[in-house]
Amino acid sequence: MLRTNITALGLQDEYSRDWNAIMPKRELVTNAPSEWPKVFVEGIIQSDVSEVRKANRLMFATTVEALFRKSGLEVIEADVLRITKEGVVEIPLRVRAADGEYDLFFYPVADAKAAGHYIAIHEIGHKWGRLRPVFYSTDDLMSIYPEALASVAAKDRLYVQASLTPPKGQYAMWWATQPGEHFHYSPTFEIYDRLYRELNGLELRGFALILKEIGMIQEEYEVNTGTLTDSTVEIPLEGPEGVPIIVSFSQSRGLRFHFHMDRASAEYRDLFLNLFLLRLKNWRRDTLIEGIKRLDSPAFIWWRELGKRLRLQTHVDTAISAVGSVKR
């Protein structure tokens, strides 16, 4: 069976002469809760080849899914993306236990690189939440001196894709989650304010970044002011974690994100906006836009005036429940 799997992967030439690269059945070392079942795997190939990594991960996932099903633990997702304050993290396996959800990471080779990766993941989870990492490996990663901590959170893209069938419902830039909450004093307002300042005069180019990522255009120049009137363009997206989002653009109000109010938490909303802010900062640095003086755009002027109206609204008894609403 092992030889067949290797042949299917196209790796027979590399490994046919070195069967020591394939490890016999063994118990994996882990920092999982002690009541979880022990995990034994066989056929792990000790290699960093991309195809081998996928095969090892699949072997681990199928083993864990079958084992945990008998123990009351539920494997809920595989190969998923989670947004954190520092960027997007790829998670091999997510599990639901009686005390909550966990993120499982599998390291076929327990070395300094693996230790550095896991510790970086663990620090993000400890610092910002949303991650509850557990490792499985061939040795105790916590006893291995790690390499310099890896950059495990990606912020070079938004990980969005166009949605052909967006779910119906109410979308909004922001909505109150408790009585008396004001947009102007929310963390979401602060992030949007930074976004509008970063994009001041560059709104169309920021919109082009998203269109490139979802494959609607190949180059920035394909979108220009001559191709857009002052009407609003709305494009349904699916964001990381499968959350429905509508991105809208107009010359007068700029680039905005509207999140499905029933499918996106306030935490997710703010994390996604922060991810876009990180993306913009990298883009501006790479395109050498920093330091170029620009006149205030109509979109930035609109945002500034909106802020003034919102400040006045805080003195009124009735607070606004949602901002930038879109009905689908």
Side-chain angles (χ1 to χ4, degrees), residues 123-139:
E123 287 191 355
I124 291 176
H126 179 73
K127 187 174 182 180
W128 304 113
R130 295 207 95 222
L131 296 181
R132 203 175 180 187
V134 167
F135 76 80
Y136 283 86
S137 188
T138 49
D139 204 347

Side-chain angles (χ1 to χ4, degrees), residues 178-231:
Q178 55 188 2
E181 188 177 0
H182 291 276
F183 178 44
H184 184 67
Y185 294 118
S186 70
T188 314
F189 181 87
E190 295 180 8
I191 301 173
Y192 261 116
D193 191 60
R194 293 168 66 188
L195 285 173
Y196 267 91
R197 293 179 185 280
E198 289 283 338
L199 283 171
N200 187 10
L202 302 170
E203 293 87 359
L204 189 61
R205 296 186 66 179
F207 185 47
L209 279 179
I210 298 172
L211 296 182
K212 283 180 64 177
E213 180 160 338
I214 63 177
M216 291 188 68
I217 63 173
Q218 298 299 316
E219 299 294 341
E220 251 186 65
Y221 66 78
E222 295 178 47
V223 179
N224 56 65
T225 54
T227 62
L228 294 172
T229 65
D230 195 46
S231 59

Side-chain angles (χ1 to χ4, degrees), residues 182 313 316-320:
H182 291 276
Q313 182 67 33
V316 180
D317 291 339
T318 304
I320 297 174

Side-chain angles (χ1 to χ4, degrees), residues 97 174 179 227 270 274:
W174 172 89
T227 62
D270 292 352
N274 182 73

Side-chain angles (χ1 to χ4, degrees), residues 14 19 22 61 64 74 81 83 126 130 173 227 281 291:
E14 183 173 354
W19 289 100
I22 302 179
V64 166
E74 180 189 3
L81 302 173
I83 301 183
H126 179 73
R130 295 207 95 222
M173 294 171 60
T227 62
K281 288 181 177 294

Side-chain angles (χ1 to χ4, degrees), residues 151-306:
S151 177
V152 296
K155 42 186 170 281
D156 58 343
R157 52 181 295 206
L158 295 178
Y159 296 91
V160 294
Q161 57 186 355
S163 175
L164 298 178
T165 56
K168 297 184 181 300
Q170 194 74 33
Y171 295 71
M173 294 171 60
W174 172 89
W175 57 94
T177 57
Q178 55 188 2
E181 188 177 0
H182 291 276
F183 178 44
H184 184 67
Y185 294 118
S186 70
T188 314
F189 181 87
E190 295 180 8
I191 301 173
Y192 261 116
D193 191 60
R194 293 168 66 188
L195 285 173
Y196 267 91
R197 293 179 185 280
E198 289 283 338
L199 283 171
N200 187 10
L202 302 170
E203 293 87 359
L204 189 61
R205 296 186 66 179
F207 185 47
L209 279 179
I210 298 172
L211 296 182
K212 283 180 64 177
E213 180 160 338
I214 63 177
M216 291 188 68
I217 63 173
Q218 298 299 316
E219 299 294 341
E220 251 186 65
Y221 66 78
E222 295 178 47
V223 179
N224 56 65
T225 54
T227 62
L228 294 172
T229 65
D230 195 46
S231 59
T232 300
V233 178
E234 295 180 356
I235 301 177
L237 304 174
E238 182 179 296
E241 304 178 30
V243 173
I245 303 170
I246 293 175
V247 60
S248 70
F249 175 83
S250 69
Q251 299 287 354
S252 59
R253 298 193 176 184
L255 180 61
R256 298 182 294 165
F257 294 98
H258 314 263
F259 303 85
H260 196 290
M261 293 171 61
D262 294 329
R263 300 274 294 273
S265 66
E267 179 186 39
Y268 179 94
R269 177 190 65 206
D270 292 352
L271 286 171
F272 183 90
L273 293 173
N274 182 73
L275 175 65
F276 185 51
L277 182 62
L278 295 174
R279 174 73 181 95
L280 284 180
K281 288 181 177 294
N282 285 343
W283 169 69
R284 288 188 54 163
R285 184 189 64 244
D286 295 342
T287 51
L288 303 178
I289 292 175
E290 297 294 342
I292 299 177
K293 292 185 178 181
R294 302 179 302 277
L295 296 175
D296 287 345
S297 66
F300 182 73
I301 293 172
W302 169 81
W303 173 255
R304 192 170 55 200
E305 292 302 314
L306 176 64

Side-chain angles (χ1 to χ4, degrees), residues 11-79:
L11 300 170
Q12 66 272 22
D13 290 339
E14 183 173 354
Y15 290 104
S16 59
R17 295 184 303 274
D18 187 11
W19 289 100
N20 290 326
I22 302 179
M23 300 176 62
K25 188 171 184 178
R26 63 182 298 176
E27 179 183 346
L28 294 179
V29 180
T30 181
N31 61 345
S34 58
E35 65 271 18
W36 286 19
K38 298 181 184 301
V39 176
F40 293 83
V41 296
E42 61 181 341
I44 296 175
I45 305 172
Q46 293 185 296
S47 169
D48 202 35
V49 176
S50 176
E51 290 80 359
V52 173
R53 287 201 304 271
K54 294 177 183 178
N56 283 335
R57 182 179 290 187
L58 178 60
M59 186 182 306
F60 171 73
T62 54
T63 301
V64 166
E65 199 279 332
L67 181 63
F68 281 17
R69 191 188 316 125
K70 302 174 184 177
S71 305
L73 299 169
E74 180 189 3
V75 175
I76 53 177
E77 293 178 299
D79 295 326

